[in-house]
Amino acid sequence: MRLMMLALRNIRRAWRGGELGLLAFSLTLAVSIVTGIAGFSERLSRGMEQQSHHFLAADRVLKTARTVPDSWLLEAQQRGLKTATVASFRSMIYAGEQMQLASIRAVSDGYPLIGQLGVSDAAFGDAQLVEHGPSAGELWLDSRLLALLDLTTGGEAGVGEADFTVSRALISEPDRGNMNEMLAPRAMINLADLAATKVVQPGSLVRYRYLFAGSEAQLADYENWLTPLLEAGQRWEDVRDGQPAMATTLKRAEGYLLLAASLGVALAGAAIALAARRYGQRNSDNVAVMKTLGARRRQILHHYLAQLALLCAAAIVLGGLLGHGLQWALFASLQGLIDIDIPPPVWRPLLVGAITALLCTAVFALPPVWRLSKVAPLRVLRRDTEDSSEGMVASALIGVTGIGGLMWWYSGNIQLSAALLVASIALGLLATVLVLWLVSQARRLSAGRSRGALRLALAAIYRRRFANAFQVASFALALMTLTSLGLLRANLLVDWQMQLTEGAPNHFLINIQPTEIAPLEGFFQEHGLSNAGLYPMVRGRLTHIDQRAIKDIADIDAERGNVNREINLSWAAELPSDNRIEAGTWWTASDLVATERVPVSVEADLAKQLQLSLGSELSFNIGGQSLVAVVSSIRSLDWSSMRPNFYFIFPPDSLRDYAGSYITSFYLPAAEKPLLTDLLRAFPTMTLIEIDALIAQMNTVVGQVSAAIGLVLALVVVCALLVSVANVQASLDSRLQENAILRALGASRQLIANGLLLEFAAVGFLAGLLAALGSNIALYGVQRWVLDMAPVWHGSVFMVVPVLGAMTMAITGWLYCRVVISTPPLQVLARQ
Amino acid sequence: MIRVQNLCKTVTSGAQELAILRGINLEIKAGESAAIIGVSGAGKSTLLGLLAGLDNATSGDIYLHGQNISLMTEDQRAALRAQHVGFVFQSFQLLPGLTALENVMLPLELSGHASPETAARVFLEKVDLADRGHHYPRQLSGGEQQRVALARAFAVEPDILFADEPTGNLDEQTGQRIIELLFALNSETRTTLVLVTHEMALAQRCGRQFVMHDGVLTEAVSNAESADTGMKQSSPAQSGELPCA
């Protein structure tokens, strides 16, 4: 208790002394930034993850072509999971004289487990959100079906042998993202009514989706139980399997936030190390006096350790609170941009903050305090008794290890942390060599020639050349971080925007009969709509590869390979404009005459999954007839281009004998949606797919991610400035002394001010140059290995960053060194 | 109280060895006051630092309060200082973060005094600064700071007080006041005083005077004791033998 009281009194006294303030400030800021970023990114990514679960309408989905035993669902329920069942099939819907093929979902009462359904009382109306699907006896039809069947809500319609009341227009479903199920307009009934329709007979094509929701532990537990029971064709999916585009976006966002946070931690650590070093230096005299007055080393250690412990505790509490405030501010500023429910704050970021504070204190603040306890009492009589470089190498090593460890622990990615750390050290060494070389050159060249402020600046840089090298290195690291993250952000956005270009096709039209092509093109022309071209389409099933039946090829995951179903086959004389040949050659007219075997061009990913190579023989079943073709080329294409894309393309005429239809895609602005009703009335047999809903979902995620990135970038700026400030403050004492002497000798304030500005600007400029180089190198690595993107070289940063660095450093230096100029020389000299 | 035998201090500067103290012998009894005078760089402060156990000698022995501090660890010497030694410096050496009162309390706290604040107030009273206790060093003039330092030195009621050029940073008038105060407190507490100075007038106030020259200490014999010789070397170096070689 007495020790505690003494420690409290000591900390109060030390606080008044001013040295503790800087350390406390850095430590608190580090904790708040770490807690803020950790909490923000964790909650954001959990939010996005939860949001993405909406796309599944569940946490996990079991996809199968047959019903599964009831015991599987019972088992899930016993393990605390919620379950729901969705059966999808295609059938005709009858309403009076009208009939229309629809993709029907029969859903159990629990559906959807996550997310909500949007319904309306009128076709194309505004959506109201409801928790569950139709009750028994009800039929929900999407707006197009209502239009096609000439129905309004309240009308009657039949599916198979059962009659239903059309109670709602179905506007949105959380899990509508699946293209395969969107090929026909959607209708929804209750699962309890499925049997009564009698449309599901043995051999009919029904797909089942069993939905599961619960805690990750329960899900993992159940997955372990279920996996051994799964048969071929049954597939357990989470959101990442179901939505590859979403998965990539989330993964990138996570990688980005992680990267930013790791660098934030490293910068905060550097700031703490600088502040602690200054704290140690400024306390050396005090320790010498205390020792002279009889304090033992143990007492000195107790004294300072108690200060550090209290400081650390205060930083954890205060930094934790500020970090929470930061999270709150971040989410508040995202309001309107983010369309997801942010999960409540969690404890983990606070723990991360607390451990960061403890580690930072131990790694960065403890070594100077340890050295402090070894200060010789003789220092009270002779100031030159300290060897200030003693233990510097050791504490530098401890610091680097500490920063590396923090980054590793923080990112959980040893490769990333090691790469960043090695890059930082390399940058530091490069900065040191560069600064020392430049300083010696400048001194040599300017000897006796330079005057006034320039000479002062050069002399100041030379005198502090090692400190300046460190300053250049750390500022370069901060600038490099900013530059890399800034460029990366621009990069990511450009990349995403390419996927979602304004005006990209947002509607697909299929089931276009050959006779309808001319009238349809007329319709498009009349309304000024452009389309992506009309492509023929024949539905067929791949049955054999090199005369082996698909179902007998054990190492093919038929479900994943997208081959265990009817696939759209097409034909074309020319390679579609956005496709690229990876292997083999595209056919010419003469090839087709010369060969007797039908060639086929296969999409690259599918070819890889099915282990196809040029010359592989493929057998297709098209409407009961068989077609054998040989792989003549392998194509890569962009599935997110929103244009009609095909796994298999045949030469023209080779599919002539098979009944087929055409497909196209086109862009329709949201304001012209009512035109769709005209289109469907004019061409009632065609099927319309609205992709814009899917694009809107993707856009939301891109918006969230880029807004988050902007904010994290702002936080890294704060960290970087903190390092600069700590750097400048570290040199304040010696500057005060030097400039007081200079002014006492008659140097004008203007001269000293110019000297200071020049010195800082030079440091900032050098740091900028290094940062431009470093960021390009770092970016290359990050793009190539972390984000899975094609690397891009940025020359423009060599122009911008050095100038920005010089300006920032000059302004920061000026703000913190004004005191050097404004303090009367006598006041400084009298202190000595 | 203080006994020094063959004390040598050598420092290495580059490849050169520099003898700062060359075989000092000295004995100062309890209650005596001794001045060490000499020009700058003669080794006065080095001797003072060694006597107070702030540094290690190259060879020789120092007995403080009957104990050989040459054989002690730094911590043991610190403990000895806490119990028996007070210090006054040329540059005051007050801790800038502590008030005048807290500065005086510091050594009392370190030596485990039962009521440091009360004792500190008593001594601030003695140096006429009772009403400035809550002021920080930077709010005090040089003379006031040195008075606080005196209060701090005497507050632990040390057996020995070391003073290193206590008036060196003060004008003459202020310096004079400090000296008066120092000797008043000294006679009141019967403390053994060892004072380093380059001012003869100040040295004359002490019972004994030693002259430090080029690392050798010589006692200036007081007129009463030895009017004929005037000087008496305390070092064995008088025979020409160099004990530190």
Side-chain angles (χ1 to χ4, degrees), chain A residues 599-628:
Chain A
V600 62
S601 176
V602 187
E603 189 269 333
D605 286 342
L606 184 70
K608 200 170 156 197
Q609 279 160 2
L610 297 181
Q611 298 159 20
L612 300 181
S613 53
L614 296 176
S616 295
E617 190 185 279
L618 307 179
S619 304
F620 294 89
N621 180 332
I622 306 173
Q625 303 176 60
S626 171
L627 172 75
V628 178

Side-chain angles (χ1 to χ4, degrees), chain A residues 2 6 9-10 12-14 16-17 19 285-299 373-383 832, chain B residues 20 45-46 48-49 53-55 74-76 78-79 81-82 87 89 91 93 95-99 102-103 105-107 109-110 112 136 138 152 164 169:
Chain A
R2 190 181 131 74
L6 193 68
R9 204 161 59 222
N10 284 340
R12 211 180 62 226
R13 293 173 182 175
R16 292 194 307 245
E19 295 83 26
D285 286 347
N286 293 356
V287 168
V289 172
M290 283 161 73
K291 281 195 169 178
T292 304
L293 296 177
R296 272 167 277 182
R297 189 165 176 219
R298 197 163 46 90
Q299 284 173 303
S373 74
K374 298 206 295 202
V375 166
L378 193 61
R379 194 181 158 90
V380 291
L381 297 176
R382 297 163 56 107
R383 293 293 293 274
Q832 302 307 312
Chain B
I20 298 185
S45 294
T46 304
L48 191 76
L54 302 182
D55 197 8
E74 194 186 303
D75 271 353
Q76 287 169 331
R81 278 197 297 275
F87 243 114
F89 305 96
S91 51
Q93 300 285 14
L95 298 196
L98 305 192
T99 62
E102 288 166 344
N103 264 294
M105 284 163 64
L106 183 65
E109 287 173 349
L110 286 172
Y136 287 96
R138 65 171 182 278
R152 181 176 70 180
D164 180 27
N169 273 3

